[in-house]
Amino acid sequence: MTDYDLAVIGGGLNGASLARDAAGRGLRVILIEQGDLGAAASSASSRLVHGDLAMLERRGLLRVRAALSERDIWLDIAPHLVRPIRFAVPAHANERPPWRLRAGLWLYDRLGSHSRLPAATTLDVTHHPIGNALQRPIGTAFEYSDCLVDDSRLVVLTALDAAERGAAICTGARCVRADRDRIWRLAVIDRGYRRILTARALANATGAWSASTAETVLRQPSQRLVARQVSQIVVPRLFDVDAVYVFQNPDGQLIFAGPYARDFTLVGTVSHAFKGDPAVVAVPAADVAYLCTAVNRYFRAEIQPVDVIRTVSGANMVFARDGGRAPAASMMDFDAGRSRAPLLTLSGGDVTTARRRAERAIDRLSRVCPMAPRWTARRPLPGGDFAWDCFDEQVELARERWRFLTEAEAQRLVGAYGSRLADILGEAKSRTDLGRSFGAELTEAEVRYLMAKEWARFADDILWRRTKLGLTMTPAERDALAAFMGGAASGQAVGVLDVLGDRRGDSATTPVEPRPIRR
């Protein structure tokens, strides 16, 4: 008997989704992530949960329909993280003609015909708030419905759901070797020690590290993978309406400008081939200039590269088709034989279809691992057990219970934790009951919760992924948070050593005793 049915290497959205799906079907699962959950490309997405308008132009009607169906599922299972919002496409004289935009949005609505979101409309922006931020020559815009998501928290809550269904989630642990026979034997380094664990199947969900993991850790032939970089910029808020602007660029690309962390605007995306270390993905100056120029064609308020507060970028591996010339959006490969333990490789893809990708991937394991039926489309993520159109009601309930919260604070907290907000605020009657304040609404109670329940180990895990509050905190406040977390971390971490120790009595394979890493 093995320690686990499935070992997942990689804690991005693909890896967390695999772990959640498999754990909910009754499999024994361990997820191994060398850094933080969602620390790479999964936290650098466009934050869109959508059918992808651009895909209509490429005649991918079935893909658009499937994505729109997934959009509605996300609304049901994660109403705190995924919120409906109107998207506005200003009609520009030098770009796609209005009739083409109108026809495309009509088809978009038809493909999502079962959606509960409002249909597309035509706006006279000279008499509509959408037009306040736009340059005067623009008189018409087309408005339609899609959704935004907090991508980083989506990864964490997906992993949290997996853990609550029995999966072992190990961050800061690195798989350095995996030997394949009838089962997998993995060597994992965690907190300075080396441990051997066994699994019936293994999933390589390491994103931009997929090829190097296949070659150096698994010692298996790598697929035809190519790296792609996606880049965005964060600038001061450019408009007051709660909407996302979609700009047509002269090169045919669609550029999005949407609300970000309340006081900012996220502009993106630029995608191109990437070469280099995926752990250090810098946004080229040319990409920053490209996005600024795209925005300046439409908005009254001009932005320059010096106005960029933060860049958001990540790299991922996708399957190279047509002889490597055209990258696919995602790839899934399943390799199994009579005498070879199964190997599943999942890489790339967008946020919208992540749940569906994982579901189809785990289906492939059913031939070797008996499991329960599909379930992830019907069960909410932690904190998401309320109706998708009741977010404002949840905010009001939070303000009634914790009267010291402002409207903005309640919206942020409900948007992050949903119905589990009481796990953080408890019976607090005032801010002082929440402990130390680190600035920008971040309290000791929230920090301790994130460390204890959501695998936050370092300040950046909280500042830039789980909360985004680093955008409004001073360097001194960020340093104070790092010092606090360093002092509070003792005894918080749970690693491979702990979870394997819990299983030691169940396993026919006895793990080796831990020993220090040889340097």
Side-chain angles (χ1 to χ4, degrees):
M1 182 177 178
T2 58
D3 298 312
Y4 297 96
D5 296 313
L6 174 65
V8 180
I9 306 176
L13 185 55
N14 280 331
S17 298
L18 288 171
R20 175 183 183 241
D21 192 296
R25 298 202 204 193
L27 301 188
R28 297 167 301 147
V29 180
I30 184 170
L31 182 148
I32 302 163
E33 164 55 44
Q34 65 180 351
D36 184 30
L37 295 170
S42 295
S43 292
S45 76
S46 63
R47 300 178 69 245
L48 304 179
V49 173
H50 65 150
D52 192 355
L53 271 181
M55 187 57 63
L56 285 181
E57 295 187 311
R58 299 194 289 272
R59 302 181 181 180
L61 301 186
L62 294 180
R63 287 181 60 180
V64 172
R65 172 174 285 177
L68 290 174
S69 177
E70 287 298 302
R71 181 191 69 183
D72 291 346
I73 290 174
W74 282 121
L75 275 174
D76 286 334
I77 69 174
H80 49 327
L81 304 181
V82 179
R83 68 183 185 98
I85 193 169
R86 295 294 273 176
F87 284 60
V89 188
H92 196 287
N94 298 325
E95 306 303 338
R96 297 167 180 85
W99 67 264
R100 185 175 174 184
L101 293 172
R102 189 179 294 109
L105 291 175
W106 177 88
L107 179 58
Y108 197 70
D109 283 341
R110 300 290 79 73
L111 291 172
S113 58
H114 298 295
S115 176
R116 295 149 290 182
L117 302 182
T121 58
T122 303
L123 301 178
D124 177 1
V125 298
T126 60
H127 298 88
H128 193 281
I130 285 288
N132 292 342
L134 297 173
Q135 296 177 12
R136 278 299 174 221
I138 299 172
T140 302
F142 299 92
E143 193 179 51
Y144 67 99
S145 296
D146 259 328
C147 298
L148 289 180
V149 64
D150 187 330
D151 51 6
S152 302
R153 291 209 55 75
L154 184 64
V155 178
V156 173
L157 293 190
T158 299
L160 180 59
D161 198 28
E164 292 180 352
R165 296 177 188 277
I169 309 297
C170 302
T171 62
R174 185 163 60 96
C175 180
V176 295
R177 183 184 176 100
D179 294 320
R180 186 183 194 185
D181 196 0
R182 293 183 180 273
I183 63 171
W184 286 96
R185 289 178 59 85
L186 287 73
V188 180
I189 294 178
D190 176 40
R191 291 178 291 168
Y193 290 90
R194 187 173 183 268
R195 171 68 75 177
I196 303 297
L197 61 89
T198 58
R200 296 175 67 183
L202 185 144
N204 177 4
T206 54
W209 289 267
S210 294
S212 61
T213 298
E215 294 168 0
T216 63
V217 177
L218 311 181
R219 300 184 309 287
Q220 302 289 324
S222 64
Q223 300 295 321
R224 294 181 298 163
L225 300 174
V226 294
R228 301 286 297 178
Q229 175 179 349
V230 174
S231 301
Q232 300 162 96
I233 58 175
V234 178
V235 298
R237 187 162 183 171
L238 298 173
F239 47 87
D240 295 327
V241 294
D242 190 28
V244 176
Y245 289 86
V246 185
F247 299 142
Q248 306 172 75
N249 228 29
D251 59 4
Q253 296 297 312
L254 296 179
I255 303 299
F256 297 86
Y260 187 75
R262 190 191 309 154
D263 298 321
F264 304 91
T265 296
L266 182 70
V267 180
T269 60
V270 182
S271 177
H272 50 72
F274 173 78
K275 291 184 179 181
D277 183 357
V280 185
V281 184
V283 179
D287 288 357
V288 174
Y290 174 90
L291 292 173
C292 289
T293 300
V295 166
N296 292 339
R297 296 182 71 234
Y298 289 86
F299 281 144
R300 291 185 184 184
E302 287 197 357
I303 59 171
Q304 303 299 329
V306 295
D307 299 317
V308 175
I309 296 171
R310 181 174 174 82
T311 59
V312 181
S313 188
N316 212 336
M317 286 287 184
V318 295
F319 188 64
R321 58 191 177 192
D322 297 336
R325 293 185 297 275
S330 64
M331 67 85 64
M332 180 179 68
D333 181 70
F334 183 74
D335 178 28
R338 290 185 177 180
S339 60
R340 288 158 56 87
L343 171 62
L344 176 67
T345 302
L346 186 63
S347 183
D350 60 4
V351 172
T352 309
T353 55
R355 187 208 65 84
R356 184 169 180 261
R357 281 196 306 277
E359 184 177 71
R360 296 174 67 183
I362 297 301
D363 282 346
R364 302 291 297 274
L365 291 177
S366 61
R367 67 180 71 170
V368 293
C369 296
M371 62 182 69
R374 296 178 171 185
W375 66 277
T376 55
R378 303 183 303 275
R379 298 290 185 269
L381 291 181
D385 50 347
F386 59 91
W388 69 274
D389 54 353
C390 291
F391 181 87
D392 291 340
E393 180 182 324
Q394 292 293 314
V395 171
E396 288 305 313
L397 290 174
R399 294 198 69 195
E400 289 177 9
R401 180 171 179 181
W402 298 285
R403 295 185 178 277
F404 55 87
L405 293 178
T406 66
E407 179 79 13
E409 290 170 337
Q411 286 183 349
R412 182 187 74 82
L413 290 169
V414 172
Y417 306 103
S419 60
R420 295 197 175 187
L421 183 54
D423 292 351
I424 299 172
L425 302 185
E427 300 302 321
K429 302 298 182 183
S430 67
R431 296 180 190 279
T432 56
D433 294 335
L434 301 178
R436 180 177 176 181
S437 173
F438 295 97
E441 306 173 17
L442 186 62
T443 64
E444 180 179 336
E446 186 173 3
V447 171
R448 288 191 180 278
Y449 173 85
L450 293 172
M451 295 179 68
K453 301 295 185 181
E454 295 192 4
W455 302 279
R457 297 181 300 142
F458 303 107
D460 282 358
D461 301 344
I462 294 176
L463 293 172
W464 306 115
R465 286 184 283 280
R466 287 160 183 78
T467 72
K468 311 293 192 299
L469 291 177
L471 287 165
T472 53
M473 291 174 67
T474 66
E477 290 170 337
R478 295 196 286 261
D479 290 343
L481 173 64
F484 173 82
M485 292 180 67
S490 177
Q492 292 278 2
V494 175
V496 176
L497 300 179
D498 306 288
V499 298
L500 266 178
D502 293 339
R503 291 187 177 273
R504 195 173 296 170
D506 303 333
S507 177
T509 302
T510 304
V512 300
E513 290 302 315
R515 60 179 183 271
I517 302 171
R518 294 181 179 177
R519 301 188 182 278

